[in-house]
Amino acid sequence: MFLLNSHKSGRHFLQIPGPTNVPDRVLRAIDNVTIDHRGPEFAVIGKAVLAGMKKVFKTESHVVIYPASGTGAWEAALVNTLSPGDLVLMAETGHFATLWKKMADKLGLKVEFLPGDWRHGANPAQIEARLACDKEHQIKAVCVVHNETSTGVTSRIADVRRAIDKAGHPALFMVDTISSLASIDYRHDEWGVDVTVSGSQKGLMLPPGLSFNAVSEKALAASKTARLPRSYWDWQEMIAINSTGYFPYTPATNLLYGLHEALEMLFEEGLDAVFMRHQRHAEATRRAVRAWGMEILCKNPDEYSSVLTAVMMPNGHDADAFRKIVLKNFNMSLGQGLTKLSGKIFRIGHLGDFNDLTLCGTLAGVEMGLSLAGVPHRKGGVQAAMDYLAESAAKEVTASIHAEPSLIT
Ligand SMILES: *Cc1c(COP(=O)(O)O)cnc(C)c1O
């Protein structure tokens, strides 16, 4: 491959928390001829992926697909619903929440950023208290990142919804699920979210290049009066044309083939089984980290991420030097610490197309890397993970015999 000057046998372990490993089935689906996006065949695929994404978002409302990275879908959420100078409440959960906040600043919104320590999720009580003070309803939207990919902390979205309701506040609720959708349970309709933002290259197991908005009727109504300028991101035209299976401009046709295949794979496995798989791999990873005697960045066990685990480096050791050693020796990419966590943590991605043995390989690479890099740790992390995987695999076999039919659909 053009990026590497020498062949490396075996697969690269892409264990960053996105982009994730793209399964062969998805790669093969993408590798089909590009068709006329205004021809009769295209509408079949257009309709199928839009319907499939509704199931993944758990919504009966609208889903919009953009040929863009997740950042584009962030922008779409804001410019479709808000007007210049509108006040927006955001929660500082980490690097990605900070980037979304900076985007809102650039777009001419006023942002109140509830401070956080990058080790906890959005605080529902803090959000409720702030909204309760806002008697004149100046705050037009509350924006929260569901899974903060920079820290491995998952915010409790249902609790944030309850907080907004307890304050009796009419603000729109917007959630970034770029790294959680199709990996961690998420319910757009049930949790009363108005705009959910997502992307293709994480739980959906696709290459980068697609992003999504799930849009409630309330958000769609807000878009009729919102005054931020928009053209490419405009929902109205998109939703109108989507009803026929087509798009207003050229969609990313081959990525939509991939999305179609990825959705089939998710439904074959069953979304609940997919979520359970991620939980189990996350728990095994945490057991490994504890056995190494290292610290998990996320402080609150109720907010542990099923998608990735951020591990703190002991003082005096550089996480990036360690990651370099792992890449060079074991052909595995681990996630780096972002902005204020740079050099202080590394992130183990355990999402997407992933199984018990991929996890064992990943953790073995980490454990060997710790030794090679001279990072103080205890042996036995991989063993602790294997013990848990073996123990919980046996339980799964027993459980599936008695499973309710609804759990295995
Ligand atoms: C990856 C990610 C983003 C950024 O998405 P891009 O596709 O890089 O634009 C935003 N938010 C979260 C939570 C992410 O994980």
Side-chain angles (χ1 to χ4, degrees):
M1 216 241 286
F2 65 93
L3 291 173
L4 306 172
N5 51 22
S6 67
H7 171 70
K8 290 192 173 68
S9 63
R11 284 237 172 168
H12 176 66
F13 269 54
L14 184 64
Q15 297 322 133
I16 58 175
T20 62
N21 296 288
V22 180
D24 293 348
R25 269 177 70 175
V26 171
L27 289 173
R28 286 195 208 105
I30 291 170
D31 185 18
N32 271 287
V33 288
T34 306
I35 57 170
D36 174 7
H37 62 285
R38 313 227 185 257
E41 284 171 310
F42 184 86
V44 178
I45 210 163
K47 281 186 184 163
V49 292
L50 286 161
M53 285 307 296
K54 285 188 189 188
K55 284 198 206 165
V56 175
F57 279 113
K58 298 195 177 146
T59 183
E60 303 284 317
S61 200
H62 310 278
V63 168
V64 171
I65 306 177
Y66 296 108
S69 89
T71 302
W74 263 349
E75 180 157 339
L78 300 176
V79 298
N80 274 287
T81 54
L82 299 167
S83 298
D86 276 355
L87 183 60
V88 175
L89 187 65
M90 293 177 139
E92 184 199 358
T93 48
H95 172 75
F96 289 103
T98 305
L99 287 182
W100 202 9
K101 186 256 179 202
K102 284 185 179 156
M103 171 186 275
D105 288 338
K106 285 189 209 161
L107 291 170
L109 297 165
K110 273 194 237 134
V111 184
E112 210 173 297
F113 206 30
L114 293 170
D117 66 357
W118 293 38
R119 300 190 73 173
H120 291 85
N123 182 335
Q126 206 181 11
I127 291 171
E128 184 187 336
R130 180 61 190 90
L131 291 177
C133 298
D134 181 34
K135 300 279 182 236
E136 284 162 19
H137 300 159
Q138 300 281 321
I139 296 169
K140 300 301 175 203
V142 175
C143 301
V144 174
V145 173
H146 183 207
N147 185 70
E148 180 50 82
T149 323
S150 63
T151 63
V153 178
T154 305
S155 284
R156 291 159 290 148
I157 299 303
D159 290 352
V160 176
R161 173 75 257 171
R162 272 191 283 278
I164 299 170
D165 291 345
K166 274 201 238 156
H169 200 288
L172 293 167
F173 187 23
M174 306 201 201
V175 179
D176 168 350
T177 65
I178 295 175
S179 66
S180 54
L181 195 74
S183 299
I184 301 173
D185 190 18
Y186 184 79
R187 305 167 184 214
H188 177 88
D189 285 1
E190 190 182 319
W191 295 345
V193 181
D194 294 298
V195 189
T196 302
V197 174
S198 204
S200 58
Q201 75 273 30
K202 297 177 186 179
L204 289 171
M205 308 178 287
L206 293 173
L210 290 181
S211 58
F212 309 88
N213 279 172
V215 179
S216 73
E217 292 302 335
K218 183 175 162 187
L220 197 62
S223 76
K224 302 218 162 96
T225 53
R227 286 178 289 103
L228 278 176
R230 59 183 175 275
S231 163
Y232 186 79
W233 306 117
D234 198 274
W235 287 337
Q236 305 284 345
E237 204 186 345
M238 186 72 110
I239 289 171
I241 298 179
N242 277 172
S243 63
T244 61
Y246 295 99
F247 287 77
Y249 42 76
T250 316
T253 309
N254 291 57
L255 285 175
L256 295 179
Y257 299 158
L259 177 59
H260 191 274
E261 193 65 27
L263 288 166
E264 280 196 356
M265 291 168 70
L266 289 168
F267 300 143
E268 281 169 25
E269 186 175 352
L271 285 178
D272 289 332
V274 171
F275 303 146
M276 288 291 288
R277 167 164 61 80
H278 282 78
Q279 277 176 27
R280 194 165 151 269
H281 290 150
E283 175 59 27
T285 303
R286 291 189 293 267
R287 289 185 184 211
V289 174
R290 290 193 198 104
W292 291 323
M294 298 179 84
E295 193 177 346
I296 295 163
L297 183 67
C298 178
K299 285 262 198 187
N300 178 0
D302 291 340
E303 296 176 328
Y304 279 149
S305 171
S306 293
V307 154
L308 77 141
T309 302
V311 183
M312 295 176 75
M313 221 46 185
N315 277 338
H317 293 269
D318 178 12
D320 292 340
F322 159 73
R323 288 190 316 106
K324 255 186 214 151
I325 286 171
V326 171
L327 178 60
K328 183 158 178 275
N329 289 278
F330 307 117
N331 194 18
M332 174 163 74
S333 296
L334 294 169
Q336 66 187 96
L338 295 167
T339 46
K340 74 178 202 184
L341 294 170
S342 175
K344 298 194 171 96
I345 62 157
F346 62 91
R347 295 172 297 147
I348 305 170
H350 33 73
L351 73 158
D353 186 38
F354 201 71
N355 65 25
D356 289 9
L357 297 189
T358 354
L359 180 65
C360 290
T362 299
L363 296 174
V366 173
E367 190 162 325
M368 290 188 289
L370 291 170
S371 293
L372 275 177
V375 178
H377 68 287
R378 290 193 301 264
K379 301 278 171 213
V382 178
Q383 187 63 55
M386 289 196 302
D387 290 347
Y388 174 72
L389 290 174
E391 197 181 284
S392 55
K395 273 186 207 140
E396 273 194 347
V397 171
T398 327
S400 68
I401 295 165
H402 305 291
E404 295 293 323
S406 64
L407 287 177
I408 30 181
T409 50

